[in-house]
Structures are given as C-alpha cells and as structure tokens.
Amino acid sequence: MKYYAIIVAGGSGNRMQTETPKQFLLLKNLPVLMHTIKAFAQSDTQPKILLVLNKDQQAYWARLCEEFNFHIPHQVIDGGTERFYSVKNAISAIEEESYVAIHDAVRPLVSKSLIDNCFKAAELQGNVIAAVQSSDSVRLLRNDKTTALNRDEIFLVQTPQTFSHNILKEAYNQEFKAHFTDDASVVESIGYEINIIEGERGNIKITYPIDLELAELLLKS
C-alpha cells in the first residue's frame, strides 16, 4: 500500500501578533514547518509528503530550505482560497490507491508513533482522526443561554486525519460549505462515520505566542 501525507500550511500570523506566518516562525532554531515535515519523514510509514503552500509563500519557503540546508523530499502544491480547496488540490495530485494523512503544518510536535498508528487504523477502518478527551468542564452557549455538557463525551480534534484516497476523492468532489472546519467534517457530510484514535496532549497547534513557548519547553523535555 502507498502512503501520502498532506501538510496544510495556509495560516497567517495574525493571532501570533507577527507578520510572519506561523509555519515559518523559529522553533528551537528551525522553522515550525520543518519540524512537522521531519516528523512524517522519520515515521516508519515513510509517506510521500505533499506540502500545500500559498503561491506567494513558495519562493520564501525555497529560500528557507536553502538557508537551513533542508533537503527532505517533498512536493509543493498550490494552496487555495480556503483550506478545503488547498486539500482538494493536493488530493488531485495523488493518482494511485493509497492512504492519506492530512496534517496541520503548525502541529510540529506530532510523534512518529501517532502518525504510524493513524495510518494503521485507517487501513483497518477506512478513516481515523486523532483526538483527545476534554479535561475541562464544557458549556454550550446558544441564544445567550449556557448549558453544561458531559465532558466525557467531548473530544478535541487534532491532526493527522487519515483516510483512504478513494474516500477523500469522493468527499472533495462536493461543493464547499462554510461548516467544513476540517477534513472529517467534509467526509462526514457524504455519509461516512468518523472513527477516533487517541491523540496526544503534546500534539499542540501553534496559534498564539504562548503556544510557541510551550512547544519550546516540550522539545526540551
């Protein structure tokens, strides 16, 4: 079986209070995105890596690869106006039966074991997403009223989200809808049940400045 990893790197630096997109910020003297690509390159599954990047950022990425002597093989795919279209472009570049892990570029601490476990589970079940159970109390706010939810039934979704290529082709053949927040929601909308595998607390998403500081600490531990 063939394996692919789609690394989606379309984020800006808005919430990081910086003009530099989050995926290019330095984490332990290396751009965040390079940590992410290395994790997949070092996994046992050895997927072919497709990096989805805005056209305007591709020349900058090429310069970074030269500056940091980064030579892990990967194919750069043009990003779209929405994450949906970015992923769709990458899926279209895959022409063989395979399993595909889709991962946020700004989750650089994903472990090799989680990557491999997601591929294995997807082979058995057709699809699987990494998620962790909520450790906080959770409330739903609707129409200015709040309601307590059972946190044992609440899971915080991460990536990788891994699917058979055939399922992804079918799902991404539909029209974009505003409620598509991740790949699981796209696949679920055409009738597939989504399976969950236990994610990792350390598999954090770099969104705010404190996340970068936390990632530095986790890398040192």
Side-chain angles (χ1 to χ4, degrees):
M1 183 56 64
K2 300 289 186 179
Y3 304 100
Y4 286 81
I6 297 174
I7 310 296
V8 188
S12 67
N14 294 344
R15 283 178 287 186
M16 290 294 296
Q17 301 164 13
T18 174
E19 293 182 0
T20 303
K22 296 172 289 188
Q23 61 267 22
F24 301 140
L25 294 175
L26 290 185
L27 171 63
K28 205 174 180 183
N29 301 316
L30 198 67
V32 165
L33 178 52
M34 292 183 184
H35 287 280
T36 307
I37 291 175
K38 280 176 65 178
F40 281 86
Q42 293 171 355
S43 68
D44 292 338
T45 318
Q46 292 286 293
K48 181 175 180 181
I49 298 171
L50 307 180
L51 170 61
V52 189
L53 201 57
N54 187 293
K55 284 183 180 180
D56 295 338
Q57 297 175 347
Q58 291 177 12
Y60 180 61
W61 171 245
R63 290 198 301 272
L64 285 177
C65 288
E66 287 185 18
E67 179 183 345
F68 289 90
N69 199 29
F70 188 77
H71 299 300
I72 292 175
H74 62 279
Q75 179 181 349
V76 176
I77 304 290
D78 291 343
T81 53
E82 303 281 348
R83 187 183 190 281
F84 176 90
Y85 297 112
S86 293
V87 174
K88 184 173 183 175
N89 288 348
I91 292 167
S92 299
I94 302 171
E95 299 178 345
E96 56 190 345
E97 187 176 345
S98 54
Y99 285 89
V100 183
I102 305 172
H103 189 69
D104 298 325
V106 289
R107 289 189 188 271
L109 304 187
V110 61
S111 73
K112 294 180 288 185
S113 60
L114 180 57
I115 291 168
D116 290 326
N117 288 340
C118 283
F119 275 118
K120 289 174 186 174
E123 285 191 77
L124 293 173
Q125 302 177 77
N127 73 76
V128 69
I129 66 172
V132 293
Q133 200 166 21
S134 176
S135 58
D136 297 322
S137 295
V138 184
R139 296 190 72 84
L140 173 68
L141 172 62
R142 182 180 291 162
N143 299 326
D144 295 325
K145 293 183 179 180
T146 69
T147 308
L149 302 178
N150 183 354
R151 68 181 177 190
D152 292 339
E153 298 175 348
I154 303 295
F155 285 80
L156 309 179
V157 174
Q158 302 180 339
T159 61
Q161 300 189 1
T162 309
F163 310 84
S164 75
H165 182 233
N166 289 336
I167 289 176
L168 285 175
K169 280 198 302 183
E170 180 184 357
Y172 277 88
N173 198 38
Q174 65 184 306
E175 294 297 319
F176 169 73
K177 297 180 180 65
H179 69 268
F180 291 160
T181 57
D182 65 355
D183 307 289
S185 59
V186 179
V187 170
E188 187 175 45
S189 71
I190 60 169
Y192 286 95
E193 291 188 7
I194 302 299
N195 304 298
I196 288 177
I197 192 172
E198 187 175 354
E200 298 170 336
R201 299 287 173 184
N203 183 22
I204 62 173
K205 187 175 183 180
I206 307 296
T207 305
Y208 299 100
I210 194 171
D211 298 326
L212 202 59
E213 295 176 24
L214 178 57
E216 289 272 5
L217 291 171
L218 289 171
L219 282 174
K220 290 176 183 176
S221 62

